[in-house]
Amino acid sequence: VKVLSHIDSILQSPRAPPLIYRRNKGPVQNCIKQNGQECGFEHLPLTIEMWADQLMALKDLHRSLRKLSLELVPWHPADSQDNRESIRVEDLQFIVDAILEEIENKEKNSQTQSLQTLSGIVSHFQKLFDVNSVNGVYPRMNEVYTKLGEMTNAMRNLHELLELDSSAPPTVVVDTVGKLCDIINKKVTEQVQQLLGTQDIHSIISKLEEHERFFPPFQALIQDLLSLLEISNLDDILPVVRSLK
């Protein structure tokens, strides 16, 4: 009787879930207490059995949440109540809240850092390529891409022409072109010197001045001979003159 009275007081407590207290609406059968009130405990064994199953499942759920917590937030301190016989809903809620808080903070920090990084990249691009506004970033990107393609093709062709390895840096290409120009200039100078028969720049100047003085009268003489002899080819001058002798 005392046990039933204690159970009855618990069931009728404001904190008790509505599920476990049901006043019997049918005929009273074998459930009359000493005070003559009917009991509402007929369904209670099934409810307690269901709760027992749920409590067992609660421990399994707690174990699964701990594994999930170790995967998602391994830096979070371990729960000292893992091996406890009884697991409360508060324990599960604590794990879920910890996981959600860590994930939300991570996503927030990631988004903030990503926006800051993108802003820094755009600003750096504007400084490097002298772009005054954000709207001008895309056109300048296209221009840079086009110029880069042209330079890449030019460098590839130079590597092939100069018989350089494809990994040779631009400085090596420039040095090779410079050496080639020096060789060409030296050969041209030597050929000019051989042609004029002198090694002195002043002699070269004198030869050119003599040429300027000699060539115009010589050219006029030849033109008069061609006209006088009625021929058009220089090679025909000597044969025609000999035939006149």
Side-chain angles (χ1 to χ4, degrees), residues 78-89:
D79 191 352
S80 59
Q81 299 179 347
D82 281 350
N83 298 324
R84 229 174 59 170
E85 289 296 329
S86 60
I87 302 299
R88 300 175 303 173
V89 176

Side-chain angles (χ1 to χ4, degrees), residues 158 161-164 168-183:
L158 286 174
L161 291 174
L162 299 175
E163 297 182 354
L164 296 174
T171 53
V172 175
V173 176
V174 173
D175 292 340
T176 305
V177 172
K179 293 177 181 178
L180 184 61
C181 290
D182 292 339
I183 293 173

Side-chain angles (χ1 to χ4, degrees), residues 161-231:
L161 291 174
L162 299 175
E163 297 182 354
L164 296 174
D165 187 81
S166 59
S167 60
T171 53
V172 175
V173 176
V174 173
D175 292 340
T176 305
V177 172
K179 293 177 181 178
L180 184 61
C181 290
D182 292 339
I183 293 173
I184 293 175
N185 291 333
K186 185 177 181 180
K187 287 185 177 180
V188 170
T189 302
E190 291 176 352
Q191 290 175 354
V192 172
Q193 291 175 347
Q194 292 175 359
L195 178 63
L196 298 178
T198 179
Q199 303 293 327
D200 186 6
I201 187 64
H202 295 291
S203 299
I204 294 175
I205 295 174
S206 299
K207 292 284 186 180
L208 292 175
E209 290 176 350
E210 292 176 0
H211 177 270
E212 289 180 354
R213 289 193 300 268
F214 169 77
F215 185 75
F218 177 78
Q219 184 181 18
L221 176 62
I222 295 299
Q223 291 294 335
D224 292 340
L225 285 174
L226 292 174
S227 176
L228 181 63
L229 299 174
E230 297 180 352
I231 56 178

Side-chain angles (χ1 to χ4, degrees), residues 5-6 47 53 70 80 120 125 189 195 207 237:
S5 299
H6 185 61
T47 302
D53 294 338
L70 292 175
S80 59
F125 183 89
T189 302
L195 178 63
K207 292 284 186 180
I237 293 179

Side-chain angles (χ1 to χ4, degrees), residues 6-185:
H6 185 61
I7 293 175
D8 188 58
S9 64
I10 293 175
L11 296 182
Q12 297 187 49
S13 170
R15 297 178 58 189
L19 176 64
I20 67 173
Y21 181 70
R22 297 177 186 171
R23 183 169 297 277
N24 186 7
K25 297 181 180 180
V28 178
Q29 297 178 353
N30 300 325
C31 58
I32 302 299
K33 295 191 288 186
Q34 286 185 347
N35 57 7
Q37 294 180 355
E38 62 181 19
C39 65
F41 308 149
E42 294 86 351
H43 67 288
L44 195 56
L46 295 177
T47 302
I48 293 175
E49 183 178 354
M50 180 190 68
W51 283 3
D53 294 338
Q54 293 297 315
L55 288 174
M56 293 298 297
L58 200 63
K59 192 171 184 178
D60 295 336
L61 179 59
H62 181 266
R63 188 180 301 109
S64 299
L65 284 176
R66 285 299 303 147
K67 291 181 180 179
L68 180 62
S69 176
L70 292 175
E71 290 291 334
L72 297 179
V73 284
W75 55 86
H76 197 274
D79 191 352
S80 59
Q81 299 179 347
D82 281 350
N83 298 324
R84 229 174 59 170
E85 289 296 329
S86 60
I87 302 299
R88 300 175 303 173
V89 176
E90 291 83 350
D91 300 331
L92 305 181
Q93 189 64 48
F94 176 78
I95 297 174
V96 173
D97 290 343
I99 294 175
L100 291 176
E101 182 180 0
E102 293 290 348
I103 293 177
E104 288 175 358
N105 291 336
K106 183 178 180 180
E107 290 179 352
K108 183 178 180 180
N109 294 335
S110 176
Q111 292 176 357
T112 303
Q113 183 178 3
S114 177
L115 292 175
Q116 292 176 349
T117 302
L118 291 176
S119 177
I121 292 174
V122 173
S123 178
H124 188 61
F125 183 89
Q126 288 182 258
K127 291 180 181 178
L128 287 178
F129 298 100
D130 193 23
V131 182
N132 296 326
S133 64
V134 177
N135 294 332
V137 170
Y138 282 109
R140 186 56 57 88
M141 280 185 175
N142 294 333
E143 181 182 351
V144 171
Y145 179 79
T146 302
K147 294 295 183 181
L148 178 61
E150 294 175 356
M151 293 299 297
T152 302
N153 292 333
M155 291 299 295
R156 186 185 300 112
N157 294 334
L158 286 174
H159 279 90
E160 294 177 357
L161 291 174
L162 299 175
E163 297 182 354
L164 296 174
D165 187 81
S166 59
S167 60
T171 53
V172 175
V173 176
V174 173
D175 292 340
T176 305
V177 172
K179 293 177 181 178
L180 184 61
C181 290
D182 292 339
I183 293 173
I184 293 175
N185 291 333

